[in-house]
Amino acid sequence: MPQLTGNACEIDELPDGVTVTIKVTTNSRHTQKITVTRNDEVLCVFAGSGERNAMTGQSTIVSNSRAKLQAKFEYQTDINAEWIKSRQLKSGGPYTIGHYNLMVIVAENGDDGDYNDGILEFSWNTPT
C-alpha cells in the first residue's frame, strides 16, 4: 500500500524495470493538479478539471525499485489562484488480476466527500 501523508503519498510497491502507465482523471469543477516525482525529479504533472472521470493525462515510466515515487495532490478554486493541498487521500492496491496490476490513489477536496476529485492510477503487466 502507498504511504499516505497529508496531500502526498510515497509509492514503493512497483516491481523493478517494468513499464508503468500513469493515468489521471478528475471528477471536480475545480482544477486538480497531481505531480509525480522520483528522487525529487519531476516525472510528470497533470492538471485539469471536469466531471465523469474526465481524462487529465497519461504517461509511462520505467519503474526503479531503488527510487521511491512520490505524488502530490493539489487543487484550485479559482483560475490563477494559489494551489491548495488536497484534504485527504485514500488508496487501494496493488491489485493483481492475472498479469495485470493496478494501484489507485484518490483525493478529496472536502466539498462533497466522494473521494474522486483527483484520481491517480498506476498499472503494469507482470512479466511472464
Side-chain angles (χ1 to χ4, degrees):
M1 294 286 287
Q3 295 179 10
L4 309 177
T5 306
N7 74 317
C9 66
E10 282 191 5
I11 300 107
D12 58 6
E13 292 87 2
L14 302 175
D16 195 33
V18 299
T19 300
V20 177
T21 299
I22 302 171
K23 184 170 89 171
V24 173
T25 56
T26 181
N27 289 285
S28 177
R29 63 184 175 87
H30 299 303
T31 301
Q32 307 293 305
K33 180 169 85 168
I34 300 174
T35 305
V36 179
T37 60
R38 179 169 41 207
N39 292 346
D40 297 324
E41 174 191 354
V42 175
L43 298 178
C44 41
V45 178
F46 305 97
S49 63
E51 299 289 341
R52 294 180 191 84
N53 292 317
M55 184 68 146
T56 303
Q58 183 171 318
S59 184
T60 58
I61 62 167
V62 175
S63 61
N64 179 342
S65 63
R66 295 175 304 282
K68 289 185 182 179
L69 290 178
Q70 185 176 48
K72 182 172 66 171
F73 293 74
E74 301 170 293
Y75 69 101
Q76 288 178 322
T77 54
D78 296 310
I79 296 174
N80 298 324
E82 288 188 33
W83 291 102
I84 303 165
K85 293 178 180 182
S86 294
R87 294 185 187 219
Q88 190 170 15
L89 305 180
K90 292 190 183 257
S91 66
Y95 304 108
T96 301
I97 306 165
H99 294 287
Y100 180 75
N101 300 271
L102 177 68
M103 182 172 19
V104 180
I105 299 107
V106 297
E108 175 54 48
N109 298 339
D111 53 353
D112 55 10
D114 57 5
Y115 289 91
N116 70 352
D117 296 323
I119 301 170
L120 173 63
E121 295 181 13
F122 294 92
S123 61
W124 65 95
N125 288 308
T126 305
T128 56

